[in-house]
Amino acid sequence: MMHNKTVVFFEVEILDAKTKDKLCFLDKVEPNATIGEIKSMFHKSPNEAGKSLKDEDVLQHLPVGTTATFYFRDLGVFLTEYAGPLLIYLMFYFRVPFIYAPKYDFTTSKHWVVHLACMCHSFHYVKRLLETLFVHRFSHGTMPLRNIFKNCTYYWGFAAWMAYYINHPLYTPRTSGQSSTALMISLWSQFCQIGNFSIHIALRNLRPPGSKTRKIPYPTKNPFTWIFLLVSCPNYTYELGSWLGFTLMTQCLPVAAFTLVGFIQMTVWAKGKHRSYLKEFRDYPTLRSPILPFIL
C-alpha cells in the first residue's frame, strides 16, 4: 500500500521594516527553503520578528507557524553612516552658506593641505561605500537600529568637527609652505587605504559565498597582505596608519581625537578577533599580535 506524503508549504509575507508596507506575499514556499534563497530575490537583508537571521537558516526550523512575516531592511541603511561624513565634509570644504561668515561663502582655501585633506577624506569614505556595496558580506544579518544611530552620530559628528576646523578660513596648518611634506604624508595615508582594501579583498576571498568553512587568513601574492605574518587584523593596522597620516598632515586636534577613539575601538575588536582565532585554530600562528606587531 502506498501512502501519500503530505507536504506543508509556508506562506511568507514580506514587509518593509521601516514603513511596514507589504512588499509581496509568497505562497507555497517549501519548508526547506533557506533565508538566503528568500533574501536573494530582494537583494536585501531580512529580519524576522526583530531578530537577525542568517542566510543558511532553514524556514521550517524557525520558530514560526505556517505563516511567517519577514521585515526587509534596505542596504541603504548601511550606507547612511558612510555617505553622511562624505557629504558633511564637502559642505564645509565648499563653505556653503550659514557655516562660516557670509563673506567666506563658497570661497577656497589658499593652503594645499586643505585640498589634500579633502581628497584623502573623500577617498576614504568613497572606498567604504564601494566596499559596502561590492566587497563586504554581512554574515550576521542586519544591524540593530540603535547601533545605526550610534554609528551615524559617531561618524557624522566627528566629520563635522574635523571639517569645521580644517576648512575654516582662519585655519593655518603647521605644514603651510611645505607642500612636499604634506604630499608625502597624504601619499602614506592613501598607501594605507590601499592596504586596508587589499585585506578586505583577501578576507572576502577566504570564504566563498554560502560556505560555512572558517580558515586562517594567510598572506597572498599581494604584498599588502604580507602583514598577516605579524598581525591578526591588518585591516585595522592599515586603518590606524591612514588616520595617523591624516592627523600629521592636518595638525588638527579633532582629527587626533578621532584617530585616538578609533584606535581604542579597533583594538577592542582586534583583540576579540585574535582570541577567537586562538580558540578556534590550534595551529594558529603564535607570532601574530592583534593589531600592532610585537606590541599590541
Side-chain angles (χ1 to χ4, degrees), residues 1-5:
M1 181 181 296
M2 297 183 61
H3 298 278
N4 293 328
K5 185 177 180 179

Side-chain angles (χ1 to χ4, degrees), residues 26 49-50 53 56 77 80 82 105 141 145 147 158 175 189 195 201 231 238 271 275 280 296:
L26 306 176
L53 301 176
E56 61 267 22
V77 173
T80 302
Y82 299 144
D105 290 351
L145 287 176
N147 285 0
F158 264 113
T175 53
S189 181
I201 293 295
V231 294
Y238 281 122
K271 285 185 174 182
R275 287 194 298 268
E280 185 171 359
L296 185 64

Side-chain angles (χ1 to χ4, degrees), residues 180-204:
S180 58
T181 301
L183 179 61
M184 291 301 296
I185 297 175
S186 68
L187 289 176
W188 161 257
S189 181
Q190 300 317 296
F191 172 87
C192 291
Q193 286 293 315
I194 296 173
N196 177 268
F197 175 77
S198 299
I199 298 301
H200 288 161
I201 293 295
L203 292 174
R204 174 186 172 87

Side-chain angles (χ1 to χ4, degrees), residues 12-18 35 38-39 44-54 62 64 68-74 77-78 140-145 148:
V12 178
E13 184 181 31
I14 308 298
L15 305 179
D16 185 276
K18 184 177 181 180
I35 297 302
I38 299 175
K39 178 180 176 181
K44 295 177 180 179
S45 301
N47 268 326
E48 189 278 318
K51 179 181 178 182
S52 297
L53 301 176
K54 299 178 181 179
L62 296 176
V64 297
T69 301
F70 292 87
Y71 296 90
F72 282 73
R73 199 164 283 153
D74 193 277
V77 173
F78 294 95
H140 297 290
T142 62
M143 180 186 298
L145 287 176
I148 296 172

